[in-house]
Amino acid sequence: RSMAPRGCVLTLSGRRMSGKDKINIFPSRMALTQIKIRLKGAQRGHSLLKKKSDALTLRFRAVLKQIIKNKTLVGEILKEAHFFYSESKFIAGNFGPVVVQNVDKANLKVRSAKENVAGVQLPVFEAYTEGATGFELTGLAKGGQKIRQCSEAWTKAVKLLVELASLQTSFVTLDEVIKITNRRVNAIEHVIIPRIERTIDYITCELDERDREEFFRLKKVQNKKAAAKAERAEELAAKGVIVDENPTQALPSEDPDVLF
């Protein structure tokens, strides 16, 4: 570490790490515990976001498949509806003004709702029929059956278009949310978690080095004490003083009054 430049440390893998690659925190046991808790939280968040992304991707593919199917079906239904309209107009004549005069409000309406998919609110549109059509007697003289078939075909086409609009809206919403979720997953996986792991390596290295320094300091203190004791013993021996290595106990061991 002494050979590393100022502001850089060596990780356990031997790679130099600058201050930007780790969290600025004072290395201590408590800080190490807190960082490990943050690492667990980041890993759990990454797992949950990954599951959310997978669920949204699965729904996204199902919506895309349904959109392709509905677009093909819409083309066929609209072609059939135009064919019925041409037949009705040929048999009953121009019945448009009669329909407009008899209808005062729409009987085919659209309502919206919300669907929760992995925490994402998707708009859902639904077409429903309310009340009478208002032109039941149209074409009573001639072409009534064709007009009814034309009405049913166009009603079916409108309902399918509403469903397609709902799917398209869900498709756009899911696409945007999946992009955001994937960016968060990548950020946690490639930025946040490695940064926390590098911080743990840094704190571990600092604590290990601190323990080695403390052990070295204690050894130096013990060596100095042993040297001072040996020097003192030599001085006393030079003066002719006998040093008893095993001093006499304060009370003899065979004293019967000693309980223990």
Side-chain angles (χ1 to χ4, degrees), residues 184-215:
R184 291 176 179 174
V185 170
N186 293 332
I188 293 176
E189 182 177 357
H190 299 292
V191 178
I192 296 177
I193 291 181
R195 191 181 183 196
I196 295 176
E197 290 176 345
R198 288 192 292 265
T199 305
I200 291 176
D201 292 343
Y202 162 71
I203 295 176
T204 303
C205 290
E206 289 291 329
L207 292 178
D208 290 344
E209 184 173 353
R210 192 179 301 172
D211 291 340
R212 288 192 294 269
E213 290 175 354
E214 184 67 17
F215 178 76

Side-chain angles (χ1 to χ4, degrees), residues 16 96 103 119 131 142 148 162 210 219 226 230:
R16 286 182 177 178
V103 174
K142 56 180 179 178
R148 193 179 308 108
V162 170
R210 192 179 301 172
K219 292 292 290 184

Side-chain angles (χ1 to χ4, degrees), residues 13-74:
S13 60
R15 187 178 67 85
R16 286 182 177 178
M17 178 174 59
S18 64
K20 295 181 180 180
D21 293 335
K22 62 179 179 61
I23 301 173
N24 293 325
I25 191 171
F26 181 76
S28 63
R29 300 288 178 186
M30 183 177 296
L32 182 61
T33 303
Q34 293 176 352
I35 293 297
K36 286 183 177 179
I37 293 174
R38 290 180 64 177
L39 178 60
K40 283 187 177 181
Q43 291 173 344
R44 182 172 177 81
H46 175 268
S47 175
L48 292 175
L49 285 176
K50 188 67 176 175
K51 290 179 181 179
K52 177 181 179 180
S53 177
D54 293 341
L56 293 176
T57 304
L58 185 64
R59 182 59 183 272
F60 180 80
R61 291 174 180 172
V63 169
L64 180 60
K65 184 178 180 181
Q66 190 65 32
I67 286 175
I68 296 174
K69 180 180 178 181
N70 282 19
K71 281 188 175 181
T72 305
L73 190 59
V74 161

